[in-house]
Amino acid sequence: MSHLPPCPQCHSEYAYEDGEILICPECAHEWAADAQEGAEDNETTVKDANGTALKEGDAVVVIKDLKVKGSSSVVKVGTKVKNIRLVDGDHNIDCKIAGIGAMQLKSEFVKKA
């Protein structure tokens, strides 16, 4: 089983073949065996709230007031953030915001400037 790729949806190692498709027993996701390469490309693409692809070094604008966890600070709507870095995870943007410092943002709360 080690020669089969993990599930692109839940990353389970227990995928199995059924004819020409692969099936994940944990989340019931089905995909074509040759489509795995394309799925990996889609996972690394980070898109803003409007669906525009983001890349390293872009500038973005915050579209919603965001509370800073563990602080009484708030990142206001319209705050421009320059020179972002893309990372894996739920909060997929690393950046520095003036007056607040280093933060991680979710791409769904920003738009490309």
Side-chain angles (χ1 to χ4, degrees), residues 8-73:
Q9 192 166 18
C10 72
H11 307 292
S12 171
E13 299 175 0
Y14 303 111
Y16 63 91
E17 288 180 296
D18 186 17
E20 295 183 12
I21 63 171
L22 297 173
I23 300 173
C24 176
E26 293 186 6
C27 69
H29 180 68
E30 298 179 359
W31 71 100
D34 58 350
Q36 179 64 24
E37 295 159 7
E40 288 177 5
D41 292 341
N42 291 339
E43 287 179 346
T44 58
T45 303
V46 176
K47 296 185 178 183
D48 69 0
N50 296 330
T52 306
L54 298 173
K55 60 184 181 205
E56 298 276 331
D58 278 348
V60 295
V61 177
V62 178
I63 62 168
K64 178 182 175 186
D65 283 347
L66 302 173
K67 294 180 182 177
V68 178
K69 190 173 183 179
S71 172
S72 61
S73 302

Side-chain angles (χ1 to χ4, degrees), residues 41-108:
D41 292 341
N42 291 339
E43 287 179 346
T44 58
T45 303
V46 176
K47 296 185 178 183
D48 69 0
N50 296 330
T52 306
L54 298 173
K55 60 184 181 205
E56 298 276 331
D58 278 348
V60 295
V61 177
V62 178
I63 62 168
K64 178 182 175 186
D65 283 347
L66 302 173
K67 294 180 182 177
V68 178
K69 190 173 183 179
S71 172
S72 61
S73 302
V74 176
V75 179
K76 296 285 188 178
V77 171
T79 302
K80 188 170 184 178
V81 181
K82 299 177 186 175
N83 198 19
I84 64 170
R85 288 186 310 135
L86 303 178
V87 295
D88 292 332
D90 187 30
H91 292 75
N92 46 10
I93 297 175
D94 267 348
C95 60
K96 287 185 182 176
I97 298 177
I100 296 176
M103 277 192 75
Q104 290 187 329
L105 300 173
K106 290 185 177 183
S107 59
E108 64 196 55

